[in-house]
Amino acid sequence: MQKLKDGELDFAILENQPLEPGIVTEVLGYKKLVFLAPDKAPYNQMPGPVPIDTLLKWPMIVYEWHSGRHMVGNRHFRERYGLSLRDHNMVGCFDTHEAMIEGVKAGLGWATLPECIASRYRNEPGIIRFKVATDTMWYPVSLTWPSSCSPSDEARDFANFVRENIPEGYFANSTEAQPRS
């Protein structure tokens, strides 16, 4: 982020980045986080959406502590239920989604991953998706650039290429990503 603010980067694609002075942000769309767990009890025995109280008791794996993704879940639970990460039964913090998936497969606990990553593991033995009795956790994916300088022609061309080549349906729009009351 500092390199972006200092003009060392022409632009960046950021997930769930808060608005900050010194950068311009254009939301490309919204992605959602999904819940994954080991394909064993008690995770695979729940008949419907898992109640929040039950989820809090289950061991939780956190992905990329300093990333925006884990903050989506943290903010979601904090704003809707007054819960923080301290209220979860956190057992591990991993730096890559591959390590996180291995932790889920090993039975360490449940995790949230972006749907685009979780879909890679949809046929992976030992992993299930499960629903939680809460709204979907959405996060924005944004194109950002420093407000202090004008992007180069090459950077503008590449940013336009990114905007124009997002596959149809890859992102949800802002109305789909709004919490339901």
Side-chain angles (χ1 to χ4, degrees):
M1 189 53 102
Q2 194 58 49
K3 285 182 179 183
L4 190 63
K5 287 180 184 179
D6 293 343
E8 294 177 37
L9 297 175
D10 288 322
F11 74 94
I13 298 174
L14 301 174
E15 298 175 331
N16 196 47
Q17 187 61 43
L19 296 176
E20 290 193 26
I23 64 166
V24 177
T25 301
E26 173 190 328
V27 175
L28 297 172
Y30 296 84
K31 296 301 285 178
K32 68 179 176 177
L33 296 180
V34 297
F35 294 88
L36 299 179
D39 187 9
K40 62 183 192 178
Y43 311 103
N44 62 3
Q45 296 178 338
M46 295 301 291
V50 175
I52 300 295
D53 292 342
T54 300
L55 184 72
L56 292 176
K57 294 174 189 166
W58 288 351
M60 174 190 186
I61 299 170
V62 177
Y63 175 41
E64 293 180 295
W65 184 258
H66 296 291
S67 79
R69 293 175 186 162
H70 94 272
M71 293 305 294
V72 173
N74 186 24
R75 186 174 55 246
H76 176 87
F77 286 110
R78 188 178 64 247
E79 290 174 356
R80 286 169 180 77
Y81 307 103
L83 301 169
S84 76
L85 282 176
R86 290 185 194 105
D87 296 309
H88 291 274
N89 181 12
M90 201 175 344
V91 296
C93 176
F94 294 93
D95 289 334
T96 66
H97 72 267
E98 293 90 352
M100 193 171 183
I101 289 295
E102 291 303 315
V104 169
K105 285 175 26 180
L108 297 179
W110 64 271
T112 56
L113 282 151
E115 186 174 42
C116 58
I117 292 174
S119 66
R120 297 178 199 168
Y121 301 99
R122 67 179 160 267
N123 298 319
E124 186 80 20
I127 297 175
I128 61 167
R129 279 188 178 201
F130 67 97
K131 298 237 183 261
V132 176
T134 185
D135 291 332
T136 303
M137 293 188 289
W138 294 99
Y139 65 95
V141 177
S142 302
L143 191 59
T144 60
W145 57 92
S147 59
S148 59
C149 56
S150 180
S152 67
D153 289 341
E154 293 87 1
R156 269 195 302 276
D157 288 346
F158 189 70
N160 287 332
F161 174 81
V162 168
R163 285 184 201 99
E164 294 165 5
N165 288 284
I166 297 169
E168 184 71 33
Y170 183 76
F171 288 119
N173 62 40
S174 62
T175 57
E176 291 172 306
Q178 296 303 314
R180 292 167 191 78
S181 315

